[in-house]
Amino acid sequence: MLYPLPAVMVSCAKPGERPNILTVAWAGTICSDPVMVSISVRPERYSYSIIRETGEFVINLTTRKLARATDYCGVRSGRDVDKFQEAHLTAVPAAFVAAPLIEESPVNMECRVREVLELGSHHMFVSEVLGVDVDPRYLDEKGKLCLKDADLMAYSHGTYFSLGEELGRFGFSVRKKPVQKKQPQKAAGVRAGRKESGKGKRT
């Protein structure tokens, strides 16, 4: 009942074999220093043996546009199909691991397995994040990540959802409101207010 969850595509590959993609909902951040994440995978899944043997994988965040591909990669087995080809996704080389990135994903996290916890129905891959790749379209002029613009996707009880409106920033509940300064009186005939200059979309 711990929902919603991130719906991510995990890419992996054995040397000399075609890469594969596994859709995972049980994924999360577990440490900030060092930066570590986890994914939980059933041992019978095709990707399980690949990740177990290579000790590497890439977490690829998903969006509204990637919903169909995300679902496809979760219901078809890499034993039978080339998921990159069938889902019309592009495999590109990673910087720190042999597993490929999914180019269409807004954020890719290159991971190396540190420990495998055999918990029961799922085994948890406790992993260190070696590098993060970000689509430049989601970086503003100062290099700040604007991930809300990516239209990210979440998963809840068998259903995919697009993330909704922003409700507040971290700490907003205790942040003091700025004191409003009194506006000077305007001369007669002068319109109050300020014209805001528009900014063009960065490509």
Side-chain angles (χ1 to χ4, degrees), residues 2 27 74 82-83 92 96 106 114 116 124 131 143-144 159 199:
L2 189 60
D82 182 337
K83 294 187 184 180
V92 295
F96 301 100
R114 291 264 297 265
V116 182
M124 177 184 287
K144 180 182 177 182
T159 304
K199 293 184 178 179

Side-chain angles (χ1 to χ4, degrees), residues 126-182:
V126 177
S127 310
E128 184 173 357
V129 177
L130 304 181
V132 177
D133 305 271
V134 178
D135 189 327
R137 289 180 295 177
Y138 303 111
L139 297 175
D140 65 14
E141 301 84 14
K142 297 181 180 179
K144 180 182 177 182
L145 180 61
C146 302
L147 205 51
K148 65 181 183 299
D149 298 332
D151 204 3
L152 294 176
M153 187 171 68
Y155 178 83
S156 181
H157 290 276
T159 304
Y160 303 100
F161 293 92
S162 176
L163 295 186
E165 64 178 308
E166 180 180 316
L167 302 179
R169 300 291 180 92
F170 178 76
F172 82 98
S173 62
V174 296
R175 190 173 295 120
K176 293 182 179 179
K177 294 182 179 181
V179 178
Q180 293 185 350
K181 296 181 179 179
K182 291 184 178 180

Side-chain angles (χ1 to χ4, degrees), residues 11-13 54-60 92-102 108-113 127-133:
S11 48
C12 54
T54 63
E56 298 178 342
F57 60 91
V58 178
I59 294 177
N60 306 273
V92 295
F96 301 100
V97 298
L101 315 177
I102 297 177
N108 323 92
M109 288 170 271
E110 304 179 34
C111 304
R112 180 163 295 149
V113 178
S127 310
E128 184 173 357
V129 177
L130 304 181
V132 177
D133 305 271

Side-chain angles (χ1 to χ4, degrees), residues 35-48:
V35 181
M36 298 185 70
V37 295
S38 72
I39 61 170
S40 294
V41 183
R42 290 182 180 271
E44 58 266 27
R45 298 296 295 268
Y46 176 66
S47 294
Y48 174 88

Side-chain angles (χ1 to χ4, degrees), residues 194-199:
R194 181 168 56 93
K195 184 179 181 181
E196 296 185 359
S197 58
K199 293 184 178 179

Side-chain angles (χ1 to χ4, degrees), residues 7-123:
V8 300
M9 289 189 284
V10 175
S11 48
C12 54
K14 286 184 180 179
E17 297 185 11
R18 73 186 182 199
N20 191 48
I21 304 170
L22 170 73
T23 299
V24 171
W26 292 0
T29 302
I30 55 176
C31 187
S32 57
D33 186 14
V35 181
M36 298 185 70
V37 295
S38 72
I39 61 170
S40 294
V41 183
R42 290 182 180 271
E44 58 266 27
R45 298 296 295 268
Y46 176 66
S47 294
Y48 174 88
S49 62
I50 299 175
I51 297 172
R52 186 90 193 222
E53 290 179 27
T54 63
E56 298 178 342
F57 60 91
V58 178
I59 294 177
N60 306 273
L61 299 191
T62 60
T63 65
R64 179 193 294 267
K65 291 182 179 180
L66 291 172
R68 181 173 292 275
T70 302
D71 184 68
Y72 181 88
C73 292
V75 298
R76 290 290 181 265
S77 173
R79 297 184 182 95
D80 307 319
V81 297
D82 182 337
K83 294 187 184 180
F84 274 97
Q85 180 178 341
E86 295 299 322
H88 307 290
L89 298 172
T90 309
V92 295
F96 301 100
V97 298
L101 315 177
I102 297 177
E103 186 175 34
E104 290 78 8
S105 172
V107 176
N108 323 92
M109 288 170 271
E110 304 179 34
C111 304
R112 180 163 295 149
V113 178
R114 291 264 297 265
E115 185 179 359
V116 182
L117 302 179
E118 299 184 3
L119 303 174
S121 63
H122 290 68
H123 292 183

